[in-house]
Amino acid sequence: MKKLLFFSFLLISSTLFAQKFSLEGIVKDQDSTSLEGATVYVQSISDSVPMSYGITNKKGEFSLQVNAENDKKAIFNIAYLGYKPYTKEIYVPNGDQLNLGVITLENQVEELNEISVVGKAPPVVIKKDTIEYNADSFKTMPNDMVEDLLRKLPGVEIDMDGGITYNGIEVEAINVDGMEFFGDRRGDVALKNIPSNAVSKVQVTDYKTDTQKFTGEESDSGTKEINLKIKKGKNRAYFGDVNVGYGTDEKYQANANLFQLIEGKQLGVIMGTNNINMTRGFNSLPDATASTGYIESDFIGANFAKGKWNETRINADYRYSAQNTDRAQKSYSENFLPDFNYITNSNSSSYNDSDSHNAGSELRFLIKPKNEASRKHVRVSNRTRFNASNNDTFSTTDRISEYENGDLVSKYFSTNSSSSSNYSIENDFNVASRLGGRRDFLVIGFNTNFDKQDSEGSNYSRNELESSAEDIIQDQVSTTNNSGSRIGFYGRWSKEILPDFRIIPGYHATVNTQVDEKSIYDFNEDTQEFDSFNDKISIDSRYVSTTVSPSLRLRYDHNDFRFEIGATHTNTFRKYTDNIIEARNFKNDFQYLTYNGRIRYRDEKGYKNISLNYRQNVDLPNVNQLQPIANVSNITNIVTGNPDLKPGVSHNLDFGYQNNLAANKISLSAGAEATFVNDKIINSTITDADLIRYTTFENIDGDYTFSGNAGISKSFLNKKTNYNISLRLNGDYRNIRSIQNAIKFTAKTNTLRPSLSFSYSYDKKIEISSSYSYGLTNTTYNTDAFNDNDFFVQNLRLESSVFFLKDAFFTNKLSYRYNSRVGDDFDGAAIFWNAGLGMTMFEKKATLTLVGYDFLGKNNGFNRSVTETSIRDVENMILEQYFMVTFVYKFGKFAGQNMMDGRRDFRGGGRGGFRGRRN
């Protein structure tokens, strides 16, 4: 490690003594108007590698810090939509500054929807509200998939659960060439199966629904969307890979992918099998995050698509997957009550064998007017999804509970098994029409959803009470047949009635029907059979609910500001009928009015976005919360509904700030949110001396939460060096009201979490990325019955790749986690190190890698969860250390050229070879 750091220091130091200078100038059009947002960049004259890039400011000014290394000349470029590309050879000055003065761009005679860029594209291009990354500017490993590429982009973070954020903002959807891939909006299939070197650009923009894209409506989601543009030839391309691996303890993985692009058509086939917890694709070097349980997985799928969101489109996909999952955990819980505390030690294990079929289709027809200049387009769309799955499960739990002084209270043991089949089919049909006015539109749709579940199961549980020497036993079998349907209608009309002022009425209606039959039979000691019908927890019911929600929104646009107010009136009728227990039956009608509002500022170029939003939501009590009948299916927690429950009402106010200081390569983001809840529906539990809980539901006031975040990231680039620094601060304060043992109390929890991340690459020979976060949590109570508590969690991540000799590489993924407060039987510290040593072969078409997973054997599956009434430490069974040899072979052709490796430009190369599509 010392040698690696020393080598990194030498590489960084070498850049400090290279030829550096400041390149300045002003960009204007032929009318001497300053052009803001023009992309300016400098390339090496020998190999066209970008040396520096930037964006002009409001005055058209730019200032680039250029590190020319030993070059004497360079190529200076300017690209701007609607203007001819500008290129000029410049001499590296002897001094530290070069001023090019005023540069005039000529109008593009032919109107284009693209930005023309000369030579290789710069690493980043900003086009209004879209940030576009040139994928070839970011070094990836030979076996990397798209997920690995995203991790290297400035501002992109992927958490342990696969959630993606960009500058702290949630990424809601990931598309491939503007379309969902395998019907997966989150993009998991694309992230784990498309090779990183098949991507030409990564575009980040505000998330829009398909209707918003079609109508030209502005996004109001507050989230982001990522679009992956695949490298293409003039009219066709194909690419794919075959991956195999085998290791110690009979660990294996194999994966094969084939993708073909033919004149606007997209075809993909994926398949794989493994027993190293990879559920969606191949990974030559897994991330340094604990993988819970043991999972054997097989999958196969196909995807076909033709057309984009603004064209007549057809899309179809099918996926089959089968999984065998083993899980085990032990836990230690401290439970706090107003009159006593108790401790629970538990061991549990489970097994699940499942297979599923998922299929979908999407048909969209775009009807264009005869007059090409007219906006009157009509889109007819139909989307269908089908899912079928079978599951066999078995679980067992062994739990011991004691008072704080160590006195035994109870021993609990249970086993459960079930076999189930699930089916569902959903369909959405809608017609959207862009009307003649300025962005006026009408959308009308009809959707349906039908599902069915059949299952058989058995349950045995025994609770041994120490105080009374009594054993409470439940021994049952059950059969379940459930079916449901949802039918909905919706419509929305947007009409500008005055300049910049429009009304947006809407209507939504749904009818839900649910038929449930659950027959439970207890074990009969006399007959030694399961023939004693249990009418207390068996169900034979029919539930119907209808909801009608007319709404109205008013919008006014003034310069860069938008003002919106809206209201929705909702009428929900519900009727529940049970043929076994009449007391379960109820009928109610809820009517309520909710409000929302929004103020948004967005500058002309889309660099700065400031918003203030207000939302009111209503939380209706569900069926189980309303029924005044004790549910005794769990012998340690008896649940009874409350028919007098009122709906909970929440008021949410959030502020968002995004600013892309493109000229300085700085991104700023901040947010604040406040939520207040009236009549919040909570669990009210009374726990007796035998630790049997009796739970009902009540309304309570006084719940509120404040949260905030702020972040800044800065990028640096020269010919050989590229690095990015990001600093974030997150915090929240929660005032949580609860009822335990008939005592109302308040838990006040505050959390503060600063984090820092850094990435560095040098000459495509060494890459380092790291992040550190420190999370401090403190909880105080307004009663002496509970003890205040606080703890902190540290997380450190370090990833590095070193490329040496001609075709060899060494890569590492290292993480360290520490929790300051854990139970005596748990280890609060965990070190997780994965490493790979490999080399490319066969003209870089193949890669052979030796992988060490959990190289030190120091990882653990520990995690902690904290609520207002408990602290729970859990250690899960995890995938343990193994070593594996993997072999990857990649193939493909773009525009008739072999795919080779990710450093080659498959768009034809040379000057004029890149044309970036405008969003």
Side-chain angles (χ1 to χ4, degrees), residues 55-74:
I55 306 294
T56 56
N57 61 19
K58 291 184 177 180
K59 298 180 181 180
E61 300 170 338
F62 64 87
S63 178
L64 305 181
Q65 302 302 312
V66 182
N67 188 338
E69 301 292 341
N70 299 317
D71 292 356
K72 301 301 181 182
K73 293 192 298 182

Side-chain angles (χ1 to χ4, degrees), residues 330-356:
K330 67 175 183 178
S331 66
Y332 173 87
S333 299
E334 300 178 53
N335 304 277
F336 313 119
L337 297 173
D339 40 356
F340 65 90
N341 299 335
Y342 65 95
I343 295 171
T344 300
N345 284 281
S346 176
N347 288 278
S348 62
S349 61
S350 65
Y351 169 81
N352 178 265
D353 185 3
S354 66
D355 63 79
S356 64

